[in-house]
Amino acid sequence: MHWLFLLMAIGCMFMAMRTTSPLLAVTLLLVSLGLFVAWIMGRHARRLGETSRDPSMMIDPTELRKLRELAEARRNATPPPTEPPAP
């Protein structure tokens, strides 16, 4: 619901432009700036939450070691490719 901050910031900016009191206008512009920053932070927090990996999908060190040993065994088991004879 971070988009509510954006709506409130736009509303404060509109009210700041319509008021005749300079003190109220400055206050509303500062509130609008704060709400805009809150909107940006909420938006980025949500994006980071969507792209973060699930911790249960991470490989633990013992499983990683087993996978490396398996890859090394496969690499050592296959003979290197030979060059084809030149025509």
Side-chain angles (χ1 to χ4, degrees):
M1 295 202 353
H2 60 277
W3 54 271
L4 287 176
F5 291 128
L6 180 63
L7 291 178
M8 288 188 291
I10 292 171
C12 285
M13 286 185 78
F14 178 75
M15 288 182 352
M17 297 299 165
R18 302 290 285 169
T19 188
T20 57
S21 169
L23 182 62
L24 183 60
V26 168
T27 304
L28 286 171
L29 286 174
L30 289 175
V31 169
S32 176
L33 178 66
L35 289 169
F36 184 71
V37 168
W39 172 68
I40 292 289
M41 290 176 64
R43 186 169 184 256
H44 284 296
R46 185 168 183 180
R47 278 194 158 196
L48 287 175
E50 290 174 353
T51 60
S52 66
R53 291 186 288 175
D54 184 19
S56 65
M57 298 298 293
M58 291 184 185
I59 299 175
D60 59 19
T62 56
E63 189 174 354
L64 183 61
R65 183 180 48 80
K66 288 177 184 177
L67 288 173
R68 285 182 180 158
E69 289 173 357
L70 181 63
E72 186 68 30
R74 284 183 184 166
R75 204 175 306 126
N76 291 337
T78 60
T82 59
E83 293 285 326

